[in-house]
Amino acid sequence: MSNNEKAASSATPRHTIALVDDDRNILTSVSIGLQAEGFTTRVYADGASALKACLENPPDLAIFDIKMPRMDGLELLQRLREKSALPVIFLTSKDEEPDEALGLAMGADDYITKPFSQRLLVARIRAILRRVEVARADAAEPAQDDTPTPDLVHRGRLSMDPARHEVRWDDRPVSLTVTEFLILETLAQRPGVIKSRNQLMDCAYNDDTYVDDRTIDSHIKRLRRKFRQVDPTFSAIETLYGAGYSFSEGG
């Protein structure tokens, strides 16, 4: 095993977490903490080496700092998203909040502000991994004649297949992260019905995970941007200021 990978032996498979930060103290402390919780960790001190490793040998989840040499966390996420839907959590400092919002808009699944609680970090990691595992299990499980499968969602020009985690607009594929898929599915299930930010948080995050309004707003912006790459006239996700969001079949 290389010096860049730290793992404790175990009889059961462990989730692998990639940690990317130019602060060696944070890398060491977070890595030790995650290993104590049963994770395997790989550590990288810059974005360039992390990108290569995450594409060639993907971990189960990655945690990126934003301010780093050679390639910062925002560029790293942007380049990763060109080829991978790997779940990503951003670690940000309070004075990096604009970057934090941009990172969520670019496709990060979550963010945590420094200084942070190790317990909170572990809770966020586990919440995201649970969502990913459910999505993968649904897609991999063969259909049985007597076993109901998740209903396909058809709303106007939108179609969603929860079992395969597939989304199409005008029969053209749209690639979404797990969090984005869950938010869109919640909106599309009842067209025209306004869903508050709290309701969308409940559908996309576990009870042990706290997120604020800005997180949901950033995911909505990302959803709109992805659909407008397929259809520049996309307007199916509507905003009612002060109340929340709704899905329009005519959008």
Side-chain angles (χ1 to χ4, degrees):
M1 184 178 300
S2 68
N3 292 333
N4 201 39
E5 182 172 354
K6 301 177 181 179
S9 61
S10 174
T12 58
R14 292 184 168 206
H15 288 108
T16 300
I17 311 297
L19 306 173
V20 191
D21 199 310
D22 61 328
D23 187 328
R24 288 288 182 180
N25 291 329
I26 289 180
L27 283 179
T28 300
S29 62
V30 174
S31 181
I32 292 173
L34 292 183
Q35 289 176 32
E37 294 290 337
F39 296 102
T40 294
T41 61
R42 303 174 190 162
V43 299
Y44 306 92
D46 64 85
S49 60
L51 177 63
K52 184 174 185 294
C54 286
L55 291 176
E56 292 180 352
N57 185 20
D60 295 295
L61 181 144
I63 301 172
F64 296 166
D65 185 22
I66 288 183
K67 303 299 184 184
M68 295 185 294
R70 297 182 62 191
M71 182 188 300
D72 66 19
L74 295 174
E75 182 183 355
L76 172 57
L77 177 63
Q78 181 181 30
R79 295 180 62 176
L80 181 68
R81 281 289 175 260
E82 292 172 357
K83 299 181 179 179
S84 172
L86 174 71
V88 172
I89 296 175
F90 262 128
L91 286 180
T92 70
S93 299
K94 288 187 178 297
D95 60 356
E96 296 169 352
E97 287 184 354
D99 288 339
E100 164 194 301
L102 178 58
L104 287 170
M106 291 169 59
D109 294 270
D110 206 344
Y111 72 89
I112 297 177
T113 302
K114 298 177 182 178
F116 58 92
S117 159
Q118 185 82 5
R119 181 179 299 178
L120 173 63
L121 176 60
V122 170
R124 297 285 182 93
I125 290 172
R126 287 179 171 160
I128 292 174
L129 290 176
R130 280 195 294 269
R131 299 201 307 270
V132 171
E133 288 174 351
V134 168
R136 288 175 179 170
D138 288 342
E141 185 176 354
Q144 302 294 329
D145 292 342
D146 58 349
T147 301
T149 58
D151 293 334
L152 298 178
V153 178
H154 294 285
R155 299 291 185 267
R157 300 154 68 186
L158 173 73
S159 62
M160 303 183 70
D161 185 344
R164 293 180 173 82
H165 192 77
E166 292 179 351
V167 178
R168 290 181 173 272
W169 181 259
D170 283 343
D171 204 31
R172 287 175 286 180
V174 182
S175 178
L176 303 182
T177 66
V178 174
T179 304
E180 293 163 353
F181 188 97
L182 291 172
I183 291 173
L184 178 62
E185 184 181 27
T186 300
L187 292 172
Q189 283 173 345
R190 300 187 65 189
V193 175
I194 298 169
K195 294 289 186 178
S196 69
R197 291 173 177 83
N198 285 337
Q199 288 174 315
L200 294 177
M201 290 177 198
D202 289 342
C203 83
Y205 293 90
N206 276 34
D207 293 339
D208 58 358
T209 303
Y210 171 77
V211 295
D212 61 19
D213 290 356
R214 182 176 53 206
T215 304
I216 295 299
D217 292 343
S218 295
H219 285 309
I220 292 291
K221 290 178 183 177
R222 178 70 176 176
L223 276 167
R224 286 171 171 157
R225 184 176 296 110
K226 285 186 173 182
F227 276 93
R228 285 170 184 163
Q229 290 174 349
V230 173
D231 175 12
T233 66
F234 175 83
S235 60
I237 300 177
E238 300 180 343
T239 302
L240 182 62
Y241 293 97
Y245 299 96
S246 66
F247 181 87
S248 170
E249 292 188 77

